Amino acid sequence: MRHDHLITSKQLSRDDVEAVLDRAAEIDADPAAVADRHAGRLLGLLFFEPSTRTKMSFETAMKRLGGDVVDMGSVESSSVKKGETLADTVRVIEGYADALVLRHPRQGAATMASEFVDVPLLNAGDGAGHHPTQTLLDLYTIRQNAGLEDLTIGIMGDLKYGRTVHSLAYALANFDAHQHFISPESLQLPREVVFDLHQQGGGGQIREHDSLSEVLPSLDVLYVTRIQRERFPDESEYQKVAGEYRIDTETLETASDDLTVMHPLPRVDEIAPEIDDTDYAAYFEQAHNGVPVRMAILDLLLEGGENDE
Amino acid sequence: MSEESTPDDHELRVSKIRDGTVIDHVRGGQALNVLAIVGIDGSEGEEVSVGMNVPSDRLARKDIVKVEGRELSQDEVDVLSLIAPDATINIVREFEVEEKHRVEPPETVEGVLSCPNPGCITTGDEPVDSRFEVLEDGVRCDFCGTIVREGIADLIET
Ligand SMILES: [Zn+2]
């Protein structure tokens, strides 16, 4: 990657994405080869809201590269509680670590923080904003299962609030993928995201639907996200909608045999457990891919292109 | 053709200035926002005349702002374009219009507008100026990505 920081999937060109995925594949094939690669280096974990899995995934990735992590700990026990600004926090922790991972409840937090530090900063989620490492592991999983060339993907569920969906859509526009967005009307993609996708030139490949059935047979990948109960004013509205966007073996009767079903997890009941043992299911594989992909990202950012020589 | 050379009844209601800036062809009702953008509130003792909703050939109704003893910088003029895209800027010296500019939108505006997204990092206590990219038909927060197309004047930081 040409970048010092990883803030949003929008900053990634097709070449950038491919560089990460190729590196992840190399690491996946021979993890022992990189076991000491970043010995002695430290990754600073700054999680201003809890996300055990993302945090553990970064921690595992750094340790498997021979490095270690320093953890700010919970916000309750840190100086943030005393009113310290994020700008001050990152400038302090920058002094301890070779790279930083930031998860923060406010949108734009990673962009701002990156302007205060010289070490690489990775955005691990900023409010409703971006989550680019999730996107890269999604792309890695898609490439493994269906390939990124001439891809037809259905992205279904809460498209309005789902930042993983927005990031993924931006990245897929680089690959001219046919993207079908399936959601209840109230949870459609934000118009700003649609605007961006058109700006990026991927607009011609985008369709929006309120039902899965018409597009399902044409899909290579179905990416399911959780519809959050708390987005609905009352429970009955939620129940009405949630059922329509639930996947089981019956739903998938008209699907291609090669369909890959993905989900960023955690799921509630969007995907019936009976799917887990079918060839469709790729969501646990997707979660496991978080480690090699984050190893690749850390490796590329920590090297800063030095190994190109 | 300077505004001084074509006086009509309406313009004469706003007095001539000796040295300073005349901002003409501001959209009706935006004059006070123009002053807010250039940071003029009269507290520095500037002599300011404002004509609001005066009839105009180019716009149905226009506002006009005259500031004595102050020449606007290009940066200030650029920012004006966000709320007064049709404005003309006349720099007056010794009662003569010495320079005439049309406003032109800048690529970004910093520290001028506050982001309307309450979840945006710039709305907290962080030591960072707001920053907006200027789009063809609006502005977009560089930090959270929020796009604003209407009511931009309401976002002016005071
Ligand atoms: Zn913002």
Side-chain angles (χ1 to χ4, degrees), chain A residues 10 84-88 91 104-109 111-112 115-116 126 170 192 195-196, chain B residues 117-128 131 135 140 142-147 149:
Chain A
K10 271 196 224 178
E84 185 179 66
T85 62
L86 173 60
D88 280 1
R91 280 181 285 189
H104 196 277
R106 280 181 173 267
Q107 271 171 271
T111 303
M112 188 208 76
E115 293 178 3
F116 286 91
D126 57 338
Y170 290 133
E192 293 169 13
F195 167 85
D196 287 340
Chain B
N117 172 7
C120 178
I121 191 75
T122 61
T123 65
D125 299 323
E126 298 296 334
V128 63
R131 196 169 65 223
L135 309 173
R140 162 174 242 167
D142 259 6
F143 294 90
C144 73
T146 296
I147 295 178
R149 294 199 168 83

Side-chain angles (χ1 to χ4, degrees), chain A residues 288-305:
Chain A
H288 294 155
N289 284 340
V291 172
V293 170
R294 290 187 170 110
M295 286 169 79
I297 294 165
L298 288 169
D299 188 39
L300 292 167
L301 284 177
L302 286 167
E303 284 310 306

Side-chain angles (χ1 to χ4, degrees), chain A residues 86-267:
Chain A
L86 173 60
D88 280 1
T89 305
V90 294
R91 280 181 285 189
V92 171
I93 312 295
E94 174 189 28
Y96 310 152
D98 299 294
L100 302 174
V101 178
L102 176 69
R103 158 76 64 113
H104 196 277
R106 280 181 173 267
Q107 271 171 271
T111 303
M112 188 208 76
S114 72
E115 293 178 3
F116 286 91
V117 298
D118 290 324
V119 299
L121 184 136
L122 287 94
N123 185 5
D126 57 338
H130 303 278
H131 196 8
T133 62
Q134 174 73 42
T135 295
L136 286 162
L137 76 88
D138 289 343
L139 293 169
Y140 185 72
T141 311
I142 292 169
R143 192 171 82 168
Q144 271 183 332
N145 284 273
L148 283 164
E149 299 305 320
D150 202 24
L151 176 77
T152 300
I153 184 170
I155 302 180
M156 184 171 86
D158 180 351
L159 309 183
K160 184 171 184 182
Y161 299 98
R163 63 183 169 208
T164 58
V165 166
H166 309 160
S167 295
L168 180 60
Y170 290 133
L172 285 171
N174 272 333
F175 291 87
D176 299 322
H178 293 267
Q179 303 192 60
H180 294 278
F181 295 98
I182 306 135
S183 71
E185 205 185 326
S186 60
L187 296 177
Q188 278 179 348
L189 275 185
R191 296 304 97 183
E192 293 169 13
V193 174
V194 176
F195 167 85
D196 287 340
L197 291 171
H198 280 273
Q199 291 279 98
Q200 260 184 286
Q205 313 273 47
I206 290 160
R207 299 275 181 280
E208 295 182 87
H209 313 266
D210 60 7
S211 149
L212 174 63
S213 53
E214 54 186 290
V215 292
L216 181 61
S218 69
L219 301 182
D220 303 310
V221 171
L222 175 59
Y223 191 100
V224 184
T225 66
R226 187 159 63 96
I227 291 182
Q228 286 163 294
R229 206 169 285 227
E230 58 270 27
R231 302 291 184 205
F232 290 85
D234 70 88
E235 180 71 14
S236 66
E237 277 298 305
Y238 166 74
Q239 289 300 343
K240 207 160 66 188
V241 164
E244 286 182 47
Y245 298 92
R246 196 170 289 148
I247 300 297
D248 55 25
T249 45
E250 201 183 314
T251 323
L252 294 187
E253 251 167 24
T254 60
S256 149
D257 288 343
D258 297 329
L259 177 72
T260 299
V261 176
M262 294 173 61
H263 190 300
L265 303 182
R267 69 175 152 174

Side-chain angles (χ1 to χ4, degrees), chain B residues 6-157:
Chain B
T6 57
D8 61 34
D9 283 351
H10 305 294
E11 296 210 352
L12 286 176
R13 288 180 202 158
V14 182
S15 63
K16 281 188 176 187
I17 59 172
R18 180 190 185 114
D19 295 295
T21 305
V22 176
I23 307 165
D24 200 356
H25 299 109
V26 174
R27 284 185 184 172
Q30 294 292 334
L32 298 180
N33 289 325
V34 165
L35 288 169
I37 274 195
V38 295
I40 290 173
D41 61 6
S43 64
E44 310 276 310
E46 312 94 327
E47 196 180 315
V48 181
S49 321
V50 175
M52 292 181 82
N53 294 314
V54 283
S56 153
D57 293 338
R58 273 168 58 189
L59 307 162
R61 293 273 167 175
K62 68 171 184 180
D63 288 3
I64 180 165
V65 176
K66 302 191 180 193
V67 184
E68 182 73 52
R70 165 97 188 259
E71 294 189 8
L72 294 186
S73 68
Q74 191 59 46
D75 283 355
E76 290 171 317
V77 171
D78 287 348
V79 171
L80 279 181
S81 69
L82 299 180
I83 58 158
D86 310 301
T88 48
I89 314 289
N90 301 302
I91 305 291
V92 179
R93 293 174 197 135
E94 284 297 322
F95 298 110
E96 293 294 328
V97 175
E98 292 288 333
E99 290 173 34
K100 214 171 167 87
H101 310 285
R102 290 295 293 271
V103 299
E104 207 160 316
E107 279 174 26
T108 56
V109 286
E110 274 193 69
V112 175
L113 307 171
S114 60
C115 185
N117 172 7
C120 178
I121 191 75
T122 61
T123 65
D125 299 323
E126 298 296 334
V128 63
D129 275 341
S130 70
R131 196 169 65 223
F132 285 79
E133 179 192 352
V134 178
L135 309 173
E136 231 166 74
D137 60 344
V139 292
R140 162 174 242 167
C141 176
D142 259 6
F143 294 90
C144 73
T146 296
I147 295 178
V148 184
R149 294 199 168 83
E150 272 151 36
I152 292 171
D154 299 338
L155 305 180
I156 295 167
E157 287 179 353

